[in-house]
Amino acid sequence: MNDLDLADWRERIARLYLSDLDLAGFRAERDRLFAEHPQSPIPPQDRPTFTGVRYHPPNPSAVVEAPLRPAEGEIEIDTGGPDGVIRYRRVAIAETPWGPLTLWWIMAYGGGLFMPVRDATCGRESYGGGRYLTDTVKGTFGRGLTMLPGDRVRLDANYLYNPSCAYDDRWACPLAPPENRVDVPIRAGELAYAGHDGSHGG
């Protein structure tokens, strides 16, 4: 029943992101899913003692609006797993206070927006390979990234989250390419998983 479990997981994630929960409620419900759902990225052996992932405290200054400028071209990212090489098309570049960040469109059936970020906390406080602000293929609509009128975007780094490979080596994930790496620390969102040190995946 893995496929049906996966479909249920994705639906629950999408409903969570589209819910009216505040940040604290969102985090609590996400932790409950991680503890109980069969498709949780938390390793099965860790689940009996799992009490939740670690987060930075809510950080109001991590909510920013940024102008978007056009971008062109494609990139291929090797997941290192069964998904193989995934192609992404540049949608736009957000000129954020942390530095420019490219917004991508996955060039697969159905498509989806994707913004990975690797900042100066990665490999120290947060996962070494970087975190995601959105990956709409996986149902993470709004919250981390919201499109605004006038070629602008709202980014809320309190919703930065780890890719699945940050919890367990059985997962393979596309990580932030060089143009989505910034030199400043973004102390918001999810911290490194206690079962993995933050240097993995760098």
Side-chain angles (χ1 to χ4, degrees):
M1 305 293 283
N2 284 348
D3 290 341
L4 294 180
D5 287 340
L6 179 57
D8 181 71
W9 169 265
R10 290 188 176 177
E11 179 179 348
R12 288 176 183 236
I13 291 293
R15 288 181 182 274
L16 175 59
Y17 272 80
L18 293 170
S19 74
D20 59 2
L21 291 170
D22 62 10
L23 179 62
F26 173 90
R27 289 178 171 181
E29 179 62 17
R30 184 171 181 261
D31 282 344
R32 189 184 68 78
L33 278 172
F34 274 40
E36 299 174 0
H37 200 281
Q39 283 291 323
S40 169
I42 302 299
Q45 67 272 15
D46 291 357
R47 292 178 200 168
T49 58
F50 177 75
T51 58
V53 300
R54 300 182 306 138
Y55 298 97
H56 284 282
N59 182 355
S61 68
V63 184
V64 302
E65 291 188 11
L68 296 172
R69 58 181 170 88
E72 296 181 350
E74 300 174 6
I75 190 172
E76 294 182 345
I77 301 177
D78 190 346
T79 65
D83 289 337
V85 175
I86 300 177
R87 293 174 62 211
Y88 294 88
R89 182 177 70 248
R90 292 177 183 88
V91 174
I93 296 173
E95 298 290 359
T96 82
W98 311 303
L101 291 171
T102 301
L103 179 60
W104 303 91
W105 183 264
I106 184 172
M107 297 176 67
Y109 177 75
L113 292 173
F114 180 51
M115 182 178 275
V117 180
R118 190 179 193 277
D119 68 283
T121 70
C122 295
R124 298 176 179 85
E125 303 162 44
S126 58
Y127 179 59
R131 298 173 289 173
Y132 296 169
L133 256 181
T134 196
D135 184 1
T136 61
V137 168
K138 302 296 178 64
T140 61
F141 300 102
R143 296 197 182 252
L145 185 150
T146 306
M147 303 303 297
L148 301 174
D151 295 324
R152 296 183 64 81
V153 68
R154 179 179 182 269
L155 304 177
D156 187 343
N158 291 291
Y159 289 96
L160 278 168
Y161 66 96
N162 291 335
S164 297
C165 51
Y167 312 104
D168 191 336
D169 290 336
R170 68 193 170 104
W171 302 99
C173 309
L175 302 178
E179 63 197 88
N180 280 61
R181 300 177 184 180
V182 295
D183 295 331
V184 299
I186 305 176
R187 291 194 168 91
E190 192 171 348
L191 294 161
Y193 178 55
H196 265 54
D197 70 30
S199 64
H200 181 79

